[in-house]
Amino acid sequence: MNKSIQAVSAADFKRTNGIIMRTVANVFSTRFFEIYELEAALKARNIDDVEINESLDYLEGKGYIEVRHIETKNTVRLCDMDREDVEVKLSSEGKLVVLSIKPDDGIDM
């Protein structure tokens, strides 16, 4: 892959992660929410499902979001579940990133 294409892809990834983190922090604050709610909040930002999935996977891997099963409330991995069966919440670590207390090279805040 050409270096300029890589740079654009990296910038888009970081930008999307920042948008999602800010949206989660501002719209959903301290509550669990379903992914369709996040998609609705992001609709005007032209972020597609693939980008949302990639971002949520990254954010979960870094510990910035918590994911749990809707019915059992047990912690689960997003990649192991159907999107309709989980709910998501900003974690304490994620709050530190949103407040720019903890920097992350993969998130453009």
Side-chain angles (χ1 to χ4, degrees):
M1 188 183 298
N2 163 327
K3 285 191 182 191
S4 62
I5 293 173
Q6 286 177 326
V8 169
S9 294
D12 287 347
F13 179 72
K14 290 170 59 169
R15 180 184 152 278
T16 300
N17 289 341
I19 291 168
I20 289 175
M21 287 290 284
R22 287 188 302 277
T23 301
V24 169
N26 293 328
V27 176
F28 305 107
S29 190
T30 59
R31 72 174 180 90
F32 277 91
F33 60 91
E34 294 183 49
I35 295 173
Y36 80 87
E37 294 175 273
L38 177 62
E39 291 171 338
L42 294 170
K43 188 172 186 170
R45 299 303 296 257
N46 295 323
I47 299 174
D48 65 32
D49 290 351
V50 172
E51 292 171 305
I52 292 171
N53 289 338
E54 288 174 349
S55 183
L56 291 176
D57 183 62
Y58 176 78
L59 299 174
E60 179 186 23
K62 297 292 277 190
Y64 301 150
I65 59 171
E66 299 173 17
V67 181
R68 71 181 186 184
H69 190 271
I70 288 177
E71 292 177 9
T72 67
K73 307 301 184 205
N74 292 330
T75 300
V76 295
R77 292 289 317 267
L78 188 57
C79 62
D80 294 334
M81 304 295 296
D82 290 331
R83 301 173 78 189
E84 300 80 26
D85 295 332
V86 298
E87 52 192 5
V88 179
K89 177 183 169 297
L90 188 66
S91 71
S92 297
E93 285 294 307
K95 184 74 168 178
L96 294 177
V97 173
V98 170
L99 294 173
S100 298
I101 295 169
K102 179 179 181 174
D104 186 297
D105 292 336
I107 302 173
D108 185 6
M109 292 304 295

